[in-house]
Amino acid sequence: MDHIAANLSEVRQKIADACRRSRREPDSVELIAVSKTFPAEAIREAAACGQMLFGESRQQEAEPKISSLPGSLHWHFIGRLQKNKVRKILPLFDAIHAMDSLRLAEYTASVAEEFGLFPKVFLQVNVGGEASKGGFEPEELKREMEALLSVQRLEILGLMTIPPAEDDAEAARPWFVALRELRDDLERGFGVRLPALSMGMSGDYEIAIEEGATHVRVGSAIFGKRAYRVDGELG
Ligand SMILES: *Cc1c(COP(=O)(O)O)cnc(C)c1O
């Protein structure tokens, strides 16, 4: 699987180039290697190249992989968060990318309190208003932000989005701009810092970085094509 080493170095180079183009520090972008559907062996291969942060989107798949791998690796949960999985997910993951309702945030906080945890979360925004996707509508998020900020125990890092699928990566740019502008509005309106923007996948992470992404979720460009789909939402 030496393609993983080569792919990783290409992705890192493209991240560095996108940072340079947009006059950002290269370490202002965190690469999350999305390892869903790939075996623990592939993750070891990436870890041997210094990649320590991985993204998984299904608890049932992630749990055995995480427990078979070194504890020095870090994990972000990027899939749709189901209430009945929160108790299993919280202890395994450093951050949750798809918090998509106030009720789920409150429930997650109650579990976090019971476990003595302070989870880091991203609020997912459905920038494209697609019926098939989870996330807050932008106006809904503005209405609920005050209540979300008052939920104890959750550290809201920022916003996350999965824009509508497009053939051309450039077409994603307006959605990334929309997420950044929503973040800026929320920071001004509520007097808070929301430093993180989780946006950009294999097809468009360079553009996401140009528009301010701090976390890019890159799977197939590192590990190769996935043999099967998870979630029914994303390949
Ligand atoms: C699968 C997935 C990714 C990675 O997708 P690639 O196109 O393989 O880079 C990113 N984000 C989420 C939420 C995903 O489910």
Side-chain angles (χ1 to χ4, degrees):
M1 283 193 273
D2 32 311
H3 65 284
I4 291 178
N7 289 348
L8 247 181
S9 67
E10 187 179 330
V11 169
R12 286 173 176 155
Q13 187 59 52
K14 287 182 173 170
I15 290 174
D17 292 344
C19 284
R20 193 166 322 110
R21 282 197 299 279
S22 43
R23 298 189 170 74
R24 299 180 54 188
E25 296 295 326
D27 64 3
S28 66
V29 177
E30 283 240 52
L31 172 59
I32 301 168
V34 176
S35 49
K36 66 185 183 196
T37 79
F38 291 98
E41 233 3 84
I43 297 169
R44 283 185 197 280
E45 189 83 21
C49 306
Q51 178 65 33
M52 304 308 263
L53 176 58
F54 295 89
E56 287 280 338
S57 63
R58 283 201 323 171
Q59 174 267 326
Q60 304 94 304
E61 179 192 341
E63 192 162 331
K65 276 155 71 172
I66 293 175
S67 59
S68 75
L69 286 159
S72 51
L73 302 187
H74 293 275
W75 301 89
H76 284 193
F77 191 78
I78 62 167
R80 184 166 271 181
L81 186 63
Q82 292 171 275
K83 185 178 177 199
N84 64 344
K85 300 286 165 54
V86 168
R87 302 182 74 84
K88 289 191 166 159
I89 286 169
L90 277 194
L92 295 175
F93 292 88
D94 293 344
I96 292 173
H97 283 243
M99 189 59 72
D100 65 359
S101 80
L102 176 59
R103 269 181 47 202
L104 192 57
E106 287 170 342
Y107 176 72
T108 302
S110 71
V111 175
E113 171 145 34
E114 189 185 323
F115 290 178
L117 296 171
F118 293 87
K120 294 176 164 61
V121 303
F122 294 77
L123 303 173
Q124 184 182 359
V125 181
N126 187 354
V127 286
E130 294 169 285
S132 62
K133 293 231 169 96
F136 292 91
E137 304 295 326
E139 288 309 313
E140 177 193 15
L141 183 55
K142 287 180 189 169
R143 283 196 304 276
E144 303 210 323
M145 196 63 192
E146 182 120 26
L148 284 160
L149 289 168
S150 73
V151 177
Q152 301 293 304
R153 290 230 165 224
L154 296 191
E155 185 183 346
I156 299 176
L157 297 181
L159 307 183
M160 175 270 204
T161 198
I162 307 167
E166 315 268 9
D167 290 336
D168 168 23
E170 257 317 309
R173 190 184 296 278
W175 302 118
F176 297 145
V177 171
L179 194 72
R180 185 188 67 227
E181 291 180 349
L182 176 62
R183 185 275 306 275
D184 294 347
D185 278 359
L186 293 169
E187 284 194 328
R188 272 194 301 272
F190 295 89
V192 286
R193 289 267 301 132
L194 298 167
L197 291 174
S198 168
M199 57 189 196
M201 311 188 345
S202 291
D204 53 21
Y205 64 92
E206 296 160 85
I207 288 166
I209 290 168
E210 290 172 9
E211 299 303 339
T214 60
H215 294 71
V216 290
R217 310 177 308 266
V218 179
S220 47
I222 295 171
F223 294 107
K225 256 177 98 76
R226 281 183 291 278
Y228 60 93
R229 294 172 68 87
V230 287
D231 279 342
E233 178 179 16
L234 276 175

